[in-house]
Amino acid sequence: MVRLVETSYLSAATALIWIALYYLPIGGAFFRLALPLPLALLQVRRGSKAGLEGVSLLVMLLIALMGPVRGPLVLFPYGFLSLWLGWSWFRGLNWWISWSVGVFIGTLGFLVRVCLLSFLVGENLWIVITRAGYLLIERIIDLFNIPWIPDLIFVQLAALFLVVFQEFIFVLTLHAVAFWVFPKLQASIPMPPRILNNLILWDPI
């Protein structure tokens, strides 16, 4: 009974965070960071079965509230990322494993979401990311005064690098927040690697 109630509450909380992220014009970074954590916490506390139930309930709630197209978008990458992180923390996997696979899931989910949203709005949203990659290359060229004009493939690789780097920081931040917060909620995750001790092992409260 407790597991059922906890699953319902944490799934509903995740659904509210997703709706806020989707519709509110402010607080996007905070909502994005908070989104995978409730269901990951559920899985750490109650096991993999509860985590799967929580994600399934989340998707059904969002389909009811947002429709059959926008609702399931929460899976890419946040739903799958919460499942992976919750499972790896529950199993006590090393941070390097949970972090690296999490970056892959986050990157792949981001690209899938861009494709789906591009289809929904009828516009290629990858162009926005490609433009950001070009601006990054242009700044580096100006900074070092390099006489070079990048081709399209290099610009696309720079855009992909930006996506991977964003997920690299995002998943590491999720690990750090979970490491600080989860023990206060009667859950815990494995200790960080030694190389990250100075960055992670401090109490923000």
Side-chain angles (χ1 to χ4, degrees):
M1 185 56 131
V2 175
R3 182 169 69 87
L4 182 62
V5 172
E6 192 169 346
T7 300
S8 301
Y9 273 110
L10 291 176
S11 298
T14 305
L16 289 175
I17 295 171
W18 174 251
I19 292 171
L21 176 65
Y22 203 90
Y23 289 112
L24 294 183
I26 59 173
F30 172 77
F31 294 136
R32 183 170 179 262
L33 182 62
L35 193 54
L37 292 178
L39 293 180
L41 172 65
L42 173 66
Q43 197 162 348
V44 172
R45 285 171 55 90
R46 302 298 175 184
S48 300
K49 184 179 179 180
L52 288 171
E53 290 173 354
V55 171
S56 301
L57 181 57
L58 168 66
V59 172
M60 289 189 289
L61 282 171
L62 290 176
I63 288 175
L65 293 171
M66 302 177 69
V69 178
R70 291 185 175 88
L73 281 177
V74 72
L75 293 173
F76 308 102
Y78 305 107
F80 292 122
L81 193 57
S82 67
L83 283 176
W84 164 250
L85 292 178
W87 182 85
S88 60
W89 292 338
F90 180 73
R91 297 289 180 181
L93 296 185
N94 186 283
W95 275 39
W96 296 119
I97 299 175
S98 58
W99 187 7
S100 57
V101 177
V103 170
F104 174 77
I105 293 172
T107 302
L108 186 61
F110 179 88
L111 296 177
V112 170
R113 192 168 79 252
V114 167
C115 292
L116 292 176
L117 289 175
S118 297
F119 175 76
L120 288 176
V121 302
E123 184 178 346
N124 186 3
L125 299 179
W126 180 251
I127 294 176
V128 178
I129 304 170
T130 303
R131 188 176 296 122
Y134 178 78
L135 290 176
L136 174 64
I137 297 173
E138 189 177 52
R139 289 178 182 176
I140 294 174
I141 291 174
D142 292 340
L143 180 63
F144 294 99
N145 196 22
I146 303 173
W148 175 59
I149 299 177
D151 57 18
L152 180 59
I153 295 178
F154 197 87
V155 172
Q156 297 280 6
L157 289 175
L160 182 60
F161 168 79
L162 287 177
V163 174
V164 173
F165 181 74
Q166 168 188 274
E167 297 301 324
F168 181 87
I169 299 299
F170 176 62
V171 178
L172 175 61
T173 306
L174 287 176
H175 277 72
V177 172
F179 182 78
W180 295 329
V181 175
F182 280 19
K184 298 176 176 59
L185 301 173
Q186 298 179 355
S188 61
I189 71 171
M191 293 291 292
R194 288 185 179 181
I195 194 173
L196 298 176
N197 281 353
N198 291 334
L199 180 64
I200 304 297
L201 293 180
W202 63 282
D203 192 341
I205 296 178

